[in-house]
Structures are given as C-alpha cells and as structure tokens.
Amino acid sequence: MKEQGQADVIVIGAGVVGLSAAIAAQARGLSVVVLDREGPAAGASAGNAGAFAFTDILPLASPGILMKAPKWLLDPLGPLTVPPSYALQIAPWMFRFWRACAPGRVAASTKAQTALMDLSKAELEPFLQQTGTLPMLRKEGNLQVYESEAELKASLPGWKARAEHGIEFRHMKVEEMAVIQPGLAPRFTHGTFTPGWYSIADPKLFTLALADHFRAMGGVIERAGVTALRPVADRVEIQTDDGGTRRAAKVVLSAGAFSHKIAKSLGESIPLETERGYNTTLPADAFDLRTQVTFGGHGFVVTRLSTGIRVGGAVELGGLKLPPNFRRSEAMLKKAQAFLPGLKPQGGEQWMGFRPSMPDSLPAIGRARATPSVIFAFGHGHLGLTQSAGTARIVADLLTDQAPAIDLASFSPQRF
C-alpha cells in the first residue's frame, strides 16, 4: 500500500463547507490539503438556490411539517416525497425526525440554529473580503408569498419566533408585493418580505472561486475518494479508493451526503440522510426577478443568479443510489409558469443534487468519539452555503484548540 504526503490538516470534501473550513484553517497558519472524490463544487454546492438564508432559523422538523406531510407525501411530485422503494430504509431516520418535531425539541433546535445563523452572518462578509468574493454578494431579500389570509395566519407562529430572535420582516398585501416583485399571479394575496436574506451571484462560481483562493494561498486540492479513517499514533490515516493512504495531524470530515459512510469507519453511527434537491436553471432573461421568491406552500423558490433564473427546491428523501426523477423539476417549472405568468420556460438546464440532512435539521459539528483529531462538519441540509462561514470559524477554533464561538452541545455528532 503506497503512502502519500502529510499535512497539518486534511479536509475531506471540496464543497462550500469543506473549502471554507480549509481556508479558515489556512488562515490560522496550518498547512491544508483538500481531498474530494470529484473535485471542487461537484455536489450540492453547485446547484443550490444561492441563498444565505439567515432568517431560516426554524427546523424542518416541526409540528407544522407533521400537519402538512401527509398531504404532501400523497403527491409523488409534491414538496416532500419518499420513493416507495426507499421507505423501509429511511424509516429509522423518519422516526428520529418525528421525535424532533416535539415542541420542546423544536425550541431547542431553533435556539441552536439561531446561534449558528448569527455567527455565520457575522463571519460572512469578512470571509468574503478575505477571499476576494465580496462582489458576488447580493442583498436583495426574500419574498414569501401566500394564497390567502388564512395561509398567512397559519405562518404567524413561525414569524413570531423569528421576531423573538430579532429578525426583521414585514407582512404585506398585493400592492406592496408588486413594488418589490412585479408579475406575481393574482392568486398570491399576501406576502412577507425579509430584507436580511442575502444571496450569492452563483453558488458554483463562488465555490470555484474559493478553491482558487485556497490554491493561491498554498493549499492543495486532490481528487481522491476516501473510504476510511484510522487513528495512528498521534496522527490520522486516511484510506482512499485507489488503495493509497495519507496522514495528517488532524482531519476535517465535510464530505456532504457521503460523510456518514466515512464516519462509520471510526465506529460512529450518524443518522445522515440524503435530501435530494431538484431545479431548472433558465436563461437570465426568462423573467424580471428582483428578489428571491419563496412559494412555501409548494416547497420551492425562484432565484436570480448571474447565470440565469433558477427554479428549484422540494425534498425527496431517496438516498444516494436511486436515479434522478426529473419529473420533479418539470412539475416545479410548470407551477412557476402559473405563479409568474411572464416566465419564459424555454432553454432550461435540469439538475439534481444531494443535500446532507440530519433528523433535527442541525448539522453535526464536533470531534469524533474515537479521536479528537477528527472533526466532523457536515449535515447542513439546505443550509450549507448559509452556514459555511460560521462552520468554518468553528472548525478553525477546534483545530487550534480554542474555545468555539458558540455552544456546540446541540450540534454534537453523538447526540442521537
């Protein structure tokens, strides 16, 4: 078995979270190598909606979702679906999800999520400045739209929770909505605008820019699939799918939806599931979009990127092996045409990606049980971009044995 070079830190995963952590470690004076099975921005970091959703503090696991889920699950192309062939396999995760919907657990998850959001927002602009990507940041807000006053009223407990955490928003009717975003279908009678919702010009280009910065500062990115981790003396040995090994003083595991498979080699059983997201990216002139629009009752968003108009979202809990069901992308695009009557649907590019999701909507951030030299940083669900800068700060603190900026108890990889 061959052995390749050593580094202070090896980061597994070249998505936005892994590269952000690598850059933060590099800034602390550590030599860093990043390993990824496909290379930078190959997974969920390439095709997400491009939002820094700092106001999205409420966990997916909540009593409200439990009320909506039965109706949604009956629609194979709806906002939430579990393919029948995957239902038995995901049952243990769904049971944990159901437990996480208890009011007390939702309150605790919301508090923890808010702390990570606040840290991530505080770290974002300095991080973008450091990496030369600040011009890619947009502050255009988000408009959540509703089809009736009753639907708005049903959302008010969630907005009350956001207000308690200092999040700015304002409810509005058709006339005000039209000023922020003209062209909405008249079926949308109410809306809520959150100005503190930021976005990035294009998530793939942003992640690739982070990779370029990391390399320019002396970092190395190698294409290699990691199969196992093993503590060896005062270091960590990484086994790769080419039969090789690498060693480092410390390892950061941030391999997205594949992370739990690697963690299992350390004896960790982490309930990570794959939240498969779908979208269609249309040409930039497909619609005059001025803010991100969220169609919450239908589980998708429409986002303006520098590279086009992206229509996507929804949750398909279907694991890593099932083939994509692009009828989901088509269903969202068809709805978008009805909701935004001026939208031109031609010339779109479809995409499906794997979001790494935990039952309680909180990522796993902390040290491995087997060795403190391995740090887990994965499971952010649809909030990886949003929480990348905050997670990077925490990882850098752990790597340099400093007290983390927030309490990590709720994010413990061993909490289940």
Side-chain angles (χ1 to χ4, degrees):
M1 182 180 289
K2 61 181 179 179
E3 182 170 310
Q4 298 187 16
Q6 299 184 2
D8 294 331
V9 180
I10 290 180
V11 175
I12 303 170
V16 68
V17 174
L19 285 171
S20 297
I23 290 167
Q26 199 178 50
R28 302 281 178 102
L30 300 170
S31 63
V32 186
V33 171
V34 173
L35 304 180
D36 192 277
R37 55 197 290 273
E38 295 183 85
S45 295
N48 63 68
F52 292 104
F54 298 123
T55 64
D56 199 2
I57 62 172
L58 302 178
L60 181 63
S62 66
I65 288 293
L66 285 183
M67 293 175 64
K68 296 176 183 177
K71 177 183 176 182
W72 283 352
L73 288 169
L74 290 173
D75 181 359
L77 300 179
L80 173 65
T81 188
V82 178
S85 60
Y86 197 68
L88 186 61
Q89 188 171 336
I90 201 175
W93 188 94
M94 293 295 288
F95 176 71
R96 290 188 174 98
F97 181 90
W98 173 76
R99 291 186 64 190
C101 290
R105 295 190 179 206
V106 171
S109 295
T110 301
K111 181 179 179 181
Q113 196 77 287
T114 302
L116 183 53
M117 290 294 199
D118 288 347
L119 175 65
S120 298
K121 187 173 185 179
E123 293 288 324
L124 177 62
E125 292 192 49
F127 180 80
L128 299 184
Q129 185 72 51
Q130 172 195 347
T131 56
T133 56
L134 188 59
M136 301 179 80
L137 183 65
R138 295 173 170 177
K139 298 182 179 181
E140 298 172 342
N142 175 275
L143 180 63
Q144 169 93 31
V145 295
Y146 308 99
E147 296 179 68
S148 66
E149 187 174 1
E151 190 178 353
L152 170 64
K153 286 182 176 179
S155 75
L156 293 181
W159 292 111
K160 181 175 183 293
R162 292 180 178 91
E164 290 170 352
H165 290 288
I167 292 172
E168 180 187 352
F169 60 87
R170 67 179 186 273
H171 301 306
M172 54 186 59
K173 294 185 180 179
V174 172
E175 296 79 9
E176 295 172 282
M177 291 162 58
V179 173
I180 291 173
Q181 180 56 64
L184 289 166
R187 65 193 290 169
F188 297 105
T189 59
H190 296 74
T192 305
F193 184 67
T194 48
W197 186 291
Y198 301 166
S199 62
I200 203 74
D202 180 272
K204 182 176 183 178
L205 297 180
F206 171 62
T207 306
L208 291 175
L210 295 184
D212 288 343
H213 172 83
F214 174 68
R215 292 190 186 102
M217 299 302 292
V220 175
I221 301 175
E222 299 179 12
R223 187 168 177 175
V226 174
T227 57
L229 303 176
R230 186 165 69 96
V232 179
D234 62 342
R235 304 185 80 77
V236 180
E237 182 179 272
I238 298 174
Q239 299 175 4
T240 57
D241 56 9
D242 62 358
T245 64
R246 293 160 172 79
R247 290 190 181 185
K250 296 182 180 179
V251 168
V252 178
L253 177 54
S254 187
F258 299 88
S259 298
H260 62 309
K261 294 180 178 295
I262 301 170
K264 197 169 184 178
S265 66
L266 290 171
E268 301 268 9
S269 181
I270 298 177
L272 185 74
E273 258 303 336
T274 305
E275 182 185 323
R276 294 147 59 100
Y278 291 83
N279 66 49
T280 302
T281 304
L282 301 168
D285 64 353
F287 189 77
D288 179 21
L289 197 66
R290 304 180 186 184
T291 184
Q292 186 179 69
V293 181
T294 298
F295 300 98
H298 300 268
F300 74 94
V301 302
V302 181
T303 305
R304 184 178 72 89
L305 304 176
S306 61
T307 49
I309 302 296
R310 182 161 290 168
V311 179
V315 175
E316 180 187 55
L317 296 166
L320 296 165
K321 296 180 179 179
L322 294 178
N325 178 8
F326 284 117
R327 289 185 301 159
R328 296 182 63 75
S329 297
E330 293 161 7
M332 284 185 283
L333 183 57
K334 186 175 181 180
K335 284 186 175 182
Q337 284 181 260
F339 298 166
L340 302 169
L343 181 72
K344 294 182 285 188
Q346 295 81 20
E349 181 179 349
Q350 295 177 328
W351 177 89
M352 188 275 283
F354 302 132
R355 307 182 192 116
S357 298
M358 303 289 282
D360 59 0
S361 304
L362 298 178
I365 306 176
R367 300 185 190 277
R369 181 184 286 112
T371 170
S373 297
V374 175
I375 295 166
F376 295 154
F378 57 81
H380 296 76
H382 58 281
L383 295 171
L385 175 65
T386 300
Q387 298 176 338
S388 56
T391 301
R393 162 69 187 279
I394 294 168
V395 168
D397 288 341
L398 293 173
L399 287 171
T400 54
D401 297 318
Q402 298 184 30
I406 62 173
D407 184 358
L408 294 184
S410 295
F411 304 98
S412 169
Q414 294 83 30
R415 65 187 182 270
F416 292 97

